[in-house]
Amino acid sequence: MKTPRLLRAWRSARLFLHLLLGLTEVALLFKRRDAASRARAIARWSRRLCQILGIEVEARGDHPELVPTNTVLVANHVSWLDIFVMNAVCPSRFVAKSEVRRWPLIGWLCHRTGTLFVARERRHDTVRVNRQIAHALSSGDCIAVFPEGSTTHGLDVASFNASLLQPAIEAGAQLQPIALRYYDQHGLRSTAAAYVGEMSLIESMGLLLAEPRMRVTLDYLPALAAQEYGRRELAQLAQQRIAERVRSDIELAVAAPEASQPANGDDISPSR
């Protein structure tokens, strides 16, 4: 049973209004606020976004405080929606691919709320972004990355790219693995949030608006002391822990119609 068209239209209107309110708040008020106030505003806006989409956010485990210092969050990557469900619990500065910066409205909003953009097709750009990550960590920020480098249907976890974890090691940061799992209204694993293949943002939004209710769980797994590992070892350990949790109830998974299609290959952002 999908959401009636009238309700989808109502959700769409509320979503557009919510985006405009967020843009206005960031443009007019953020410069006057300290880091804690901005973080609370981002968390509040993200929670409201999830409510409009009919998505319940459930955080499990020992998640960080509102503004954790010298912390890197790493998670499996399913959708552009990931950034908002994570920000609803613990606002962070995300690393996104450069094309997100060019998205109308959303790109500007991401930029003004501290997102770091990387051009994955340019090998040396990772070096530049790693310097920005290191500076952000030394300034007390929390950074969030999706080391898979691409989105998946959320039923398994792809290999982690270790390159963006080097600043965490050099800064002696805490690395917090997070396992994201999406469920439908019946409690079964769902691929409705997945943003994969050649899907457009509008198509993805349509799938989400058509779902009556959804739930996403964020399992905050035991943190790792980054300086105790090499970056490849650190990436492998985080991947193993997240994959174990993501696969833990896979027998309930809804089969994905596009499961044989490859996901976008260069996305490290919450957008794809």
Side-chain angles (χ1 to χ4, degrees), residues 25-167:
E25 183 173 12
V26 169
L28 300 180
L29 302 178
F30 262 36
K31 287 184 177 181
R32 306 175 186 177
R33 294 175 174 172
D34 59 20
S37 297
R38 289 195 297 269
R40 285 192 292 270
I42 291 171
R44 182 175 61 251
W45 190 91
S46 298
R47 287 193 295 267
R48 184 59 178 161
L49 174 70
C50 292
Q51 290 172 359
I52 292 171
L53 291 173
I55 297 172
E56 175 190 355
V57 179
E58 179 184 7
R60 301 175 177 177
D62 186 19
H63 59 80
E65 298 297 328
L66 186 63
V67 188
T69 59
N70 202 29
T71 299
V72 176
L73 308 179
V74 294
N76 58 305
H77 197 14
V78 182
S79 173
W80 58 269
L81 187 61
D82 298 345
I83 184 174
F84 300 111
V85 300
M86 290 175 65
N87 272 343
V89 179
C90 178
S92 310
R93 296 185 65 181
F94 281 78
V95 179
K97 68 177 186 177
S98 56
E99 72 178 51
V100 175
R101 179 65 182 89
R102 299 189 293 272
W103 286 9
L105 302 182
I106 294 178
W108 183 88
L109 186 62
C110 289
H111 171 66
R112 291 295 294 267
T113 53
T115 297
L116 305 176
F117 298 98
V118 57
R120 286 284 296 203
E121 67 278 7
R122 301 209 308 261
R123 183 176 180 181
H124 295 294
D125 203 47
T126 301
V127 176
R128 177 189 62 81
V129 173
N130 276 348
R131 287 198 297 266
Q132 292 183 334
I133 294 173
H135 176 73
L137 290 173
S138 66
S139 300
D141 289 335
C142 177
I143 298 293
V145 298
F146 298 107
E148 285 173 294
S150 173
T151 47
T152 72
H153 284 94
L155 306 180
D156 205 346
V157 178
S159 298
F160 277 16
N161 187 322
S163 59
L164 293 175
L165 302 185
Q166 186 61 38

Side-chain angles (χ1 to χ4, degrees), residues 183-222:
Y183 298 83
D184 66 16
Q185 61 178 329
H186 304 295
L188 302 177
R189 291 289 290 276
S190 172
T191 60
Y195 187 32
V196 294
E198 299 302 317
M199 182 182 295
S200 70
L201 183 61
I202 297 299
E203 290 171 334
S204 174
M205 187 69 70
L207 290 175
L208 289 170
L209 291 171
E211 289 294 311
R213 302 290 300 177
M214 289 184 67
R215 174 170 58 89
V216 56
T217 65
L218 294 84
D219 287 289
Y220 287 79
L221 306 174

Side-chain angles (χ1 to χ4, degrees), residues 226-246:
Q227 73 273 15
E228 296 181 4
Y229 306 91
R231 70 180 187 184
R232 289 182 177 81
E233 183 185 10
L234 184 64
Q236 184 178 32
L237 183 56
Q239 177 197 339
Q240 289 174 346
R241 292 188 178 184
I242 292 173
E244 180 179 352
R245 190 60 57 89
V246 167

